[in-house]
Amino acid sequence: MTAGRTSSCSECAAKLPAPEATDEPKSFICPACAKSYYRNPCIIVGRLAYYGDRILVYRRARGFPRGTSSAVRTLEEATARETFKETGVVFDPYRLDLYNVINMTDVEQVCILFRIGFSKAPTLRAGSECLEVAFMSEDQIATLDLAWQPSLGTEIRHFFQRWRLGDFAIRLVRLASAGGATYSCRSYPLRSASSGSGPM
């Protein structure tokens, strides 16, 4: 079980030991019932949405853009929900294609990233956590000061390369980290470049 920073045991409700201020343990045991807890990465979801040669980008008022997957929703439903909340864009969650699985070790998260194309420009509306939202071209995005620039800059360039070819793959990515880990990526080609959601 993932405990994160839970303060009470889910089994017996006893108070759990507080994590060390500088070195939180990777696992610990409830002192009352001996139930084991582990610190595992949090699963989050995201989407790369595009219309023609432009992709959906937004500037948040705070924090890192991501949606947390709820236990009562599928990954696709969580992605559609977060996209609507942040940008006002509505789509059928089951038209999403799996795009990237991204290990973000610095923040102990794994992001499941989907992609979806639109044939007509959807209506945009910045949500309460976003300052602005727009579809932007590769040249426009190149002028932005992106979060996680060393890794996300690489990812965006790769997307436009594959989009021009009409040939996507599912990719396993590790973002560069402050701890010294470098950006890495492994691709798993799809059987057919025409398979998947395509523009809607």
Side-chain angles (χ1 to χ4, degrees), residues 13-36:
K15 183 175 178 61
L16 294 174
E20 296 293 332
T22 58
D23 186 22
E24 188 176 353
K26 294 294 182 186
S27 65
F28 54 93
I29 296 174
C30 173
C33 70
K35 180 179 178 65
S36 295

Side-chain angles (χ1 to χ4, degrees), residues 47-59 83-84 86-91 95 115-126 132-144 156 159-160 163 199-200:
R47 104 294 319 143
L48 198 157
Y50 53 100
Y51 165 58
D53 64 347
R54 297 167 182 263
I55 64 175
L56 182 63
V57 296
Y58 51 94
R59 185 157 62 99
T83 301
F84 174 73
E86 294 163 345
T87 70
V89 173
V90 178
F91 55 81
R95 291 194 62 259
R115 63 178 174 85
I116 188 168
F118 297 92
S119 59
K120 291 190 274 189
T123 301
L124 302 180
R125 175 195 49 78
E132 53 188 322
V133 57
F135 279 96
M136 301 183 73
S137 68
E138 185 174 13
D139 289 342
Q140 290 173 311
I141 293 171
T143 67
L144 301 179
I156 290 170
F159 168 80
F160 280 109
W163 174 81
M200 67 182 286

Side-chain angles (χ1 to χ4, degrees), residues 5 7 10 16 32 89 113 122 155:
R5 296 182 183 274
S7 60
S10 61
L16 294 174
V89 173
L113 184 67
E155 285 300 298

Side-chain angles (χ1 to χ4, degrees), residues 39 102 104:
R39 264 183 60 208
I102 307 172
M104 301 186 292

Side-chain angles (χ1 to χ4, degrees), residues 72-84:
V72 298
R73 292 183 172 90
T74 65
L75 295 173
E76 296 95 326
E77 289 170 334
T79 303
R81 177 199 63 188
E82 290 300 317
T83 301
F84 174 73

